Amino acid sequence: MLIIFFRRLCSISNINSNNASYCNSIGFAADPFSDTTRNPGFEEIPWWRPTPPCLPVTKKIIETDKAPIFNLPFSQAVLTGNTLYLSGQLGIDPVTLKLVPGGLVPETEQIFKNVDAVIEAAGGSMKDVFPEKFPARSSCQVVAISQGAQLEIDVIAVIDKC
């Protein structure tokens, strides 16, 4: 109702010298050539459509020494709002920076230790990745994985901080 009131007050038929400056001060300006409202920082939108709020998104780089850190141009994870995007994890020991020996099972166990360490560094837990039901999944076939690994796992987690 408030937006409608302002639009009616700031419409072409109601614009006069008294309310023109008020309309401009609240971000509404009558345009005699269209039925749109001009809002600073937004493209033209129809007068009847409310302006969506443009909220700033925080982005934080997550790093922990409890998971492998390499001198490469990517982060272990990026936390955007409450969504955590982890880089693909390999079964690499964070102390030796070498692939754990023994094949698929030890690599998989190490991957989940690394994932858990990065999620905890962001303030979350594995419950954010694996709730009661199975998570979504994607898979692709590749010719080879970095460092001769047999498995790489990517994770996106929504961290519930409430």
Side-chain angles (χ1 to χ4, degrees):
M1 292 293 251
L2 197 56
I3 300 270
I4 293 170
F5 170 75
F6 286 142
R7 176 60 186 162
R8 187 174 302 251
L9 173 71
C10 299
S11 67
I12 305 286
S13 60
N14 288 333
I15 213 73
N16 60 42
S17 60
N18 294 335
N19 63 11
S21 61
Y22 173 73
C23 293
N24 287 332
S25 72
I26 61 169
F28 288 88
D31 183 352
F33 302 108
S34 72
D35 68 342
T36 59
T37 300
R38 294 182 188 269
N39 291 318
F42 292 97
E43 62 185 46
E44 285 191 13
I45 57 171
W47 64 266
W48 46 265
R49 186 179 304 156
T51 305
C54 185
L55 303 174
V57 177
T58 60
K59 187 167 107 173
K60 181 180 177 185
I61 303 300
I62 305 297
E63 288 188 351
T64 177
D65 57 359
K66 295 180 181 178
I69 297 177
F70 295 99
N71 192 17
L72 296 171
F74 59 86
S75 303
Q76 288 176 325
V78 177
L79 182 63
T80 305
N82 67 339
T83 304
L84 181 67
Y85 300 90
L86 277 80
S87 295
Q89 297 292 312
L90 302 177
I92 295 177
D93 184 305
V95 175
T96 65
L97 297 181
K98 300 216 183 275
L99 197 61
V100 294
L104 187 61
V105 173
E107 281 185 41
T108 305
E109 291 170 350
Q110 186 62 50
I111 288 171
F112 283 104
K113 288 177 187 175
N114 296 343
V115 167
D116 188 38
V118 175
I119 291 174
E120 284 182 4
S125 72
M126 290 298 276
K127 290 180 185 175
D128 297 313
V129 179
F130 297 104
E132 296 175 17
K133 301 287 184 180
F134 293 112
R137 133 193 166 174
S138 65
S139 62
C140 62
Q141 181 178 357
V142 295
V143 175
I145 299 176
S146 177
Q147 299 192 16
Q150 295 184 30
L151 181 68
E152 178 176 355
I153 296 178
D154 300 323
V155 176
I156 298 174
V158 176
I159 297 178
D160 186 8
K161 293 187 176 185
C162 296

